[in-house]
Amino acid sequence: REKIHERCKNICPPKDTFDRTLLHTHDKSRTDLEQVPKIFMKPDFALDDSSTFNSVLPWSHFNTAGGKGNRDAASSKLLQEKLSHYLDIVEVNIAHQISLRSEAFFHAMTSQHELQDYLKKTSQAVKILRDKIAQIDKVMCEGSLHILRLALTRNNCVKVYNKLKLMATVHQTQPTVQVLLSTSEFVGALDLIATTQEVLQQELQGIHSFRHLGSQLCELEKLIDKMMIAEFSTYSHSDLNRPLEDDCQILEECVINKVSQIEDIDTDVVLKLADQMRMLNFPQWFDLLTDIFSKFTIFLQRVKATLNIIHSVVLSVLDKNQRTRELEEISQQKNAAKDNSLDTEVAYLIHEGMFISDAFSESELTPIAIDTTSQRNASPNSEPCSSDSVSEPECTTDSSSSKEQISSSVTPGAVDIMVNEDVKLTDLELGKLANNTQELLYSASDICHDRAVKFLMSRAKDGFLDKLNSTEFISLSRLIEAFILETEQICGRKSMSLLGALQSQANKFVNRFHEERKTKLSLLLDNERWKQADVPAEFQDLVDSISDGKIALPEKKSGATEERKPAEVLTVEGQQYAVVGTVLLLIRIILEYCQCVDNIPSVTTDMLTRLSDLLKYFNSRSCQLVLGAGALQVVGLKTITTKNLALSSRCLQLIVHYIPVIRAHFEARLQPKQYSMLRHFDHITKDYHDHIAEISAKLVAIMDSLFDKLLSKYEVKAPVPSACFRNICKQMAKMHEAIFDLLPEEQTQMLFLRINASYKLHLKKQLSHLNVINDGGPQNGLVTADVAFYTGNLQALKGLQDLDLNMAEIWEQKR
């Protein structure tokens, strides 16, 4: 390198001399080049451009027209010389530049020979190195690599052998499935098909000889599906159609057996079973319906038992899946920890200078070889399918996945777990299956209810159900409600079809029930003469039971009731009510409404509306007959007496007394959202009070007209007492006699206070007309005597002794 450096110094001149020479030469060349037009120096110079061509060769110099040929020729020559000069300048500059670099060119040629020498030496050294490497490879590596190739060949042979064993096993799938199907081993056959399909998709994918096996297995699955459905249907039919009891037939024969036991039905004349069934009377038909409901109940219990087995299996599988997932999560966590420790070990071994293959051979390959040898020694005559756990990891191509598969394959039963994971239903599908089993139970319940509805409707065609009395319909309603409740307890859901049919019949029953009683009440009112009636003992017992808090019709007593005599009044919680016969029957009718609500709770709201209508009808009709004097034409009464009015008022008061009791009875059986219907009772109570007040006003008005008639003729003269006052006292005594035994003492006193106020008003008016004043004169004395006679007679009446008459108000106040 030093010699080369010295040689380069001799070739190249000193830097200062070179710089000065180069600067001088550069200045001269620059001056010469400035003579050349700039257009020739442009990088985009091209003569095919018209503007460039015209600038370099102006055509005006070549124009020979007009006798200027000599001058143009001279110009052309001058242009040619100019261009030649420019060319010379450029060539000189180029030659100068080449001369300046001539030494470098010669130096490059000299270096070329040296490079050739270096390359020759290098080639010889490479040849020697290759010979040495070939000797090393032959001595140290060739044997080891041959061993590795043999090991790889052996592994490939093992894979081929295992693959052939697996193919042999798969080849036996169809015969094995046929054998399993012959013994109805559907689960084993499906598991085998699923395992084979998995092997075909993963391990034997692309094998030409098995190209049709997948579709054949799918057809086998469909066949097994049909066989399972057929066998399950056969089992279901045989289970559900077997005798429901030890001594009874299946469900379809129930009606036929019942009808055949009735001797009155001629089956030769009445051919249709429905027509034969319609000929049954209510007890016979009711027994038949009870028998049908019991069979339906047993049928549903049997269906539920079968479905419960299916449901329990589904739930157990779901529970097993949950536990399996938990175990897999724990296993994955352990594997992740093991992988982390393995990575740390490999990094340490590489850092220490060991080979990775040595690390794997110590940590994994040796245990695998031991496990493989032990498995081979333990089961040398195992079936071909037992090699699946070995063939699966060895058939993988990725090394990392192979190691994971190997680690999992040594686990006993790993293949079974993997197969089950693929074959089993997902949790979502299992959930749907569990829901479907419950829906099947719901469907069975709905079918039973629909069949029961058809049975009811077939009997209702001739109006049979509409003609049932209260006792019969209540029995039917209770039977149907009990069946609905029992099926709801079995299935966990209420079916609505039978309930709807019952509600429809109940509405018809309520309408007929109400119309019958309203018609009965109307007939009673139209024949009522509004006279006080005796109270039979059974009606007294009726109101006594209500006082005990039991709103229901009491049971008839056989002996004791006949010996008891009727009472004159009805005693209710210590108060005596003089009533007419219609009101006694109305009380009984009201209790029938209340008892019907207890027996048929579904008609509570309808019954409340109908009862309200009945109470309103009684109020309005009694008002028309008594206050409106309609009884004169309807019954033929001569006149409406004060006794009739007082008796009507007392009957209304009895109904008002029971309205809160009736309201509480219905309120206890209504839903909270239905409480608004109770306002009907408030309106009825107000109407009854208004009616009672109108009767009281009518009684006062009767006496008011009497006072007006008598006192208008009153004259202040002897004798004392006057005839007018004797007549007034007589009429007051008659009024008292008519109402005292009918109305309570408090009401009688309040009524006579109102009558006395009317009397004082008319007397005051007449005295003012006669100009009689409280002056102590003779006329004043006569009036005072008459008033004293009136007061004495009025206070002498029973219950009016303490009545404050305040007769001083009859006199005009002094101005």
Side-chain angles (χ1 to χ4, degrees):
R1 292 182 179 177
E2 185 177 1
K3 292 178 180 180
I4 294 172
H5 177 64
E6 292 297 332
R7 187 164 57 249
C8 290
K9 286 173 63 178
N10 294 332
I11 295 172
C12 298
K15 185 174 185 300
D16 294 339
T17 306
F18 176 76
D19 291 340
R20 285 195 298 272
T21 305
L22 183 61
L23 181 61
H24 175 71
T25 305
H26 178 67
D27 292 341
K28 182 178 180 183
S29 300
R30 185 175 182 182
T31 303
D32 293 338
L33 286 174
E34 287 178 353
Q35 297 178 10
V36 180
K38 300 298 183 182
I39 190 171
F40 293 104
M41 304 300 178
K42 289 183 178 180
D44 57 348
F45 177 81
L47 289 176
D48 54 359
D49 185 10
S50 59
S51 59
T52 304
F53 186 80
N54 291 330
S55 299
V56 175
L57 299 174
W59 289 99
S60 59
H61 294 175
F62 305 101
N63 190 357
T64 58
K68 298 181 181 179
N70 296 329
R71 191 175 60 180
D72 291 339
S75 298
S76 298
K77 185 177 180 180
L78 179 61
L79 179 61
Q80 183 177 3
E81 291 177 355
K82 238 165 125 182
L83 293 176
S84 299
H85 178 65
Y86 294 158
L87 179 60
D88 293 338
I89 292 174
V90 172
E91 289 178 349
V92 170
N93 277 276
I94 291 174
H96 178 67
Q97 293 295 330
I98 292 174
S99 65
L100 291 177
R101 292 166 175 79
S102 59
E103 294 180 0
F105 290 151
F106 291 118
H107 177 67
M109 293 299 295
T110 306
S111 299
Q112 182 67 24
H113 295 291
E114 295 178 358
L115 288 175
Q116 290 179 354
D117 295 336
Y118 291 153
L119 286 175
K120 185 177 180 180
K121 294 178 182 179
T122 302
S123 177
Q124 293 176 352
V126 169
K127 182 179 180 181
I128 295 171
L129 181 60
R130 285 180 175 177
D131 293 338
K132 291 181 179 180
I133 291 175
Q135 292 176 359
I136 293 173
D137 179 61
K138 184 176 182 180
V139 174
M140 300 183 65
C141 300
E142 186 175 350
S144 300
L145 291 176
H146 182 64
I147 292 173
L148 292 177
R149 280 193 294 271
L150 290 176
L152 182 60
T153 302
R154 179 183 179 278
N155 288 335
N156 289 335
C157 292
V158 171
K159 292 179 182 179
V160 173
Y161 172 72
N162 290 331
K163 189 77 69 176
L164 292 173
K165 290 172 65 178
L166 185 59
M167 291 175 64
T169 303
V170 171
H171 184 66
Q172 295 297 321
T173 298
Q174 288 178 300
T176 306
V177 170
Q178 296 295 338
V179 172
L180 292 173
L181 292 181
S182 63
T183 59
S184 298
E185 287 290 339
F186 300 115
V187 177
L190 289 174
D191 286 341
L192 180 57
I193 291 174
T195 305
T196 305
Q197 288 177 336
E198 179 191 1
V199 171
L200 286 175
Q201 294 173 1
Q202 296 181 0
E203 306 297 333
L204 302 180
Q205 188 175 9
I207 301 298
H208 186 71
S209 59
F210 289 150
R211 63 186 183 277
H212 300 304
L213 184 58
S215 59
Q216 293 171 356
L217 294 177
C218 291
E219 292 298 327
L220 276 177
E221 280 188 330
K222 294 179 181 178
L223 176 62
I224 292 173
D225 182 44
K226 293 180 181 179
M227 294 176 64
M228 292 179 67
I229 292 175
E231 185 165 338
F232 185 77
S233 300
T234 303
Y235 163 76
S236 300
H237 281 87
S238 61
D239 181 67
L240 298 177
N241 288 332
R242 60 188 170 88
L244 298 176
E245 297 176 1
D246 295 334
D247 56 348
C248 73
Q249 301 298 321
I250 60 176
L251 183 63
E252 287 76 3
E253 300 179 3
C254 177
V255 177
I256 300 175
N257 291 343
K258 194 70 178 180
V259 171
S260 63
Q261 296 173 4
I262 308 301
E263 298 180 355
D264 298 338
I265 299 177
D266 189 355
T267 56
D268 296 333
V269 178
V270 184
L271 300 179
K272 293 184 178 180
L273 181 62
D275 295 335
Q276 297 173 7
M277 183 265 296
R278 293 190 188 97
M279 299 182 68
L280 300 176
N281 56 30
F282 179 77
Q284 294 170 342
W285 181 82
F286 187 80
D287 292 340
L288 172 60
L289 183 61
T290 304
D291 195 16
I292 290 174
F293 282 164
S294 65
K295 299 299 187 296
F296 278 152
T297 303
I298 298 173
F299 170 78
L300 290 177
Q301 289 173 346
R302 187 171 295 170
V303 172
K304 183 179 181 181
T306 303
L307 295 179
N308 281 344
I309 295 174
I310 300 175
H311 197 262
S312 62
V313 171
V314 172
L315 294 181
S316 64
V317 173
L318 284 172
D319 183 60
K320 181 179 179 181
N321 292 349
Q322 180 65 26
R323 293 197 302 268
T324 302
R325 282 195 297 270
E326 293 176 356
L327 292 175
E328 287 179 352
E329 292 177 358
I330 296 173
S331 176
Q332 290 175 358
Q333 294 175 359
K334 291 182 178 179
N335 290 337
K338 182 178 179 181
D339 292 340
N340 292 334
S341 62
L342 181 60
D343 294 340
T344 305
E345 182 182 357
V346 170
Y348 173 75
L349 293 173
I350 294 173
H351 178 70
E352 292 295 324
M354 296 179 65
F355 292 107
I356 298 177
S357 59
D358 296 336
F360 281 125
S361 64
E362 292 177 1
S363 61
E364 290 191 12
L365 296 179
T366 302
I368 294 172
I370 295 172
D371 291 338
T372 306
T373 305
S374 61
Q375 291 177 359
R376 186 168 59 250
N377 295 334
S379 57
N381 298 322
S382 60
E383 294 295 327
C385 60
S386 64
S387 64
D388 293 347
S389 60
V390 180
S391 64
E392 286 180 7
E394 292 178 348
C395 291
T396 56
T397 56
D398 185 66
S399 60
S400 60
S401 62
S402 176
K403 288 181 290 183
E404 294 174 359
Q405 293 289 340
I406 291 172
S407 62
S408 62
S409 66
V410 296
T411 304
V415 175
D416 294 337
I417 293 176
M418 292 173 63
V419 171
N420 289 336
E421 287 292 332
D422 292 336
V423 171
K424 72 181 183 183
L425 299 175
T426 63
D427 289 353
L428 180 60
E429 292 171 336
L430 289 171
K432 289 182 179 179
L433 180 58
N435 293 333
N436 289 338
T437 56
Q438 189 64 34
E439 289 296 330
L440 282 175
L441 188 58
Y442 295 157
S443 299
S445 175
D446 292 340
I447 290 173
C448 292
H449 281 249
D450 293 341
R451 294 288 294 272
V453 170
K454 289 182 179 179
F455 182 81
L456 288 175
M457 293 300 102
S458 63
R459 192 65 181 92
K461 283 185 178 180
D462 56 354
F464 174 77
L465 298 180
D466 297 336
K467 299 175 184 177
L468 298 180
N469 57 39
S470 299
T471 304
E472 292 173 343
F473 188 83
I474 289 171
S475 300
L476 176 62
S477 176
R478 288 179 175 175
L479 177 63
I480 295 176
E481 289 177 350
F483 174 69
I484 293 174
L485 179 60
E486 191 169 7
T487 55
E488 182 181 2
Q489 292 174 350
I490 294 173
C491 304
R493 191 189 71 175
K494 180 182 291 185
S495 297
M496 303 305 297
S497 58
L498 184 58
L499 184 62
L502 175 62
Q503 188 64 42
S504 176
Q505 290 297 324
N507 293 336
K508 295 179 181 179
F509 169 76
V510 168
N511 291 332
R512 182 169 55 84
F513 180 90
H514 177 64
E515 291 300 326
E516 289 177 354
R517 280 148 185 78
K518 189 174 181 180
T519 302
K520 181 179 180 180
L521 179 61
S522 177
L523 293 174
L524 290 172
L525 287 172
D526 290 343
N527 291 278
E528 180 60 60
R529 301 190 65 84
W530 297 100
K531 291 183 179 180
Q532 184 176 357
D534 292 336
V535 180
E538 59 175 323
F539 286 97
Q540 185 62 54
D541 295 338
L542 195 67
V543 298
D544 291 342
S545 65
I546 299 175
S547 301
D548 296 336
K550 180 182 180 182
I551 301 182
L553 295 175
E555 297 180 358
K556 292 184 179 181
K557 298 179 181 179
S558 58
T561 305
E562 297 177 357
E563 299 177 358
R564 296 167 58 188
K565 295 181 179 179
E568 294 183 356
V569 293
L570 185 68
T571 304
V572 180
E573 297 181 0
Q575 292 190 15
Q576 294 182 346
Y577 288 86
V579 294
V580 298
T582 300
V583 172
L584 293 176
L585 295 175
L586 177 60
I587 294 295
R588 185 179 184 87
I589 290 173
I590 292 173
L591 292 184
E592 289 177 354
Y593 276 82
C594 296
Q595 188 172 15
C596 187
V597 169
D598 289 337
N599 296 329
I600 313 175
S602 60
V603 300
T604 301
T605 55
D606 291 337
M607 279 295 182
L608 189 152
T609 304
R610 302 300 195 282
L611 181 57
S612 301
D613 178 70
L614 187 75
L615 294 176
K616 290 178 181 178
Y617 175 76
F618 173 77
N619 184 45
S620 61
R621 186 60 178 159
S622 62
C623 181
Q624 294 172 1
L625 293 172
V626 180
L627 276 179
L632 300 179
Q633 291 80 22
V634 176
V635 187
L637 296 180
K638 295 180 179 180
T639 183
I640 301 298
T641 64
T642 55
K643 196 165 189 176
N644 296 141
L645 292 171
L647 196 59
S648 175
S649 175
R650 196 57 175 159
C651 291
L652 294 173
Q653 293 174 27
L654 177 62
I655 301 301
V656 170
H657 173 79
Y658 281 114
I659 287 179
V661 181
I662 300 170
R663 177 194 174 105
H665 181 80
F666 277 89
E667 184 177 4
R669 288 151 183 81
L670 288 175
Q671 300 293 331
K673 61 182 179 181
Q674 299 172 335
Y675 285 167
S676 59
M677 298 186 66
L678 297 173
R679 68 181 185 277
H680 293 297
F681 293 112
D682 299 333
H683 298 160
I684 293 171
T685 303
K686 181 180 180 302
D687 294 340
Y688 272 68
H689 281 303
D690 293 343
H691 190 182
I692 294 169
E694 290 177 3
I695 293 175
S696 299
K698 182 65 175 179
L699 292 173
V700 175
I702 291 173
M703 298 304 296
D704 184 78
S705 63
L706 179 65
F707 292 149
D708 182 61
K709 179 180 178 182
L710 295 177
L711 289 176
S712 64
K713 299 178 182 180
Y714 174 61
E715 295 179 357
V716 183
K717 62 180 182 179
V720 177
S722 64
C724 176
F725 271 78
R726 283 198 299 270
N727 197 4
I728 289 174
C729 290
K730 182 179 178 181
Q731 296 297 328
M732 293 287 279
K734 288 183 178 180
M735 169 67 76
H736 179 271
E737 182 182 2
I739 68 173
F740 183 78
D741 292 336
L742 302 178
L743 298 179
E745 184 174 338
E746 297 82 3
Q747 294 185 23
T748 303
Q749 290 177 357
M750 292 298 300
L751 180 63
F752 271 91
L753 281 176
R754 293 177 62 185
I755 293 173
N756 182 63
S758 175
Y759 160 77
K760 289 189 293 183
L761 182 63
H762 286 283
L763 180 59
K764 183 178 180 179
K765 180 181 178 181
Q766 183 64 19
L767 292 177
S768 176
H769 176 70
L770 297 175
N771 292 321
V772 178
I773 59 176
N774 189 14
D775 56 357
Q779 288 185 330
N780 178 261
L782 292 174
V783 172
T784 302
D786 285 336
V787 170
F789 175 76
Y790 165 80
T791 303
N793 278 273
L794 188 60
Q795 291 181 342
L797 298 176
K798 187 176 181 180
L800 303 181
Q801 294 84 357
D802 300 329
L803 204 63
D804 185 11
L805 301 178
N806 193 13
M807 299 305 297
E809 294 179 354
I810 64 173
W811 303 107
E812 289 283 349
Q813 297 295 329
K814 294 182 178 181
R815 298 179 181 177

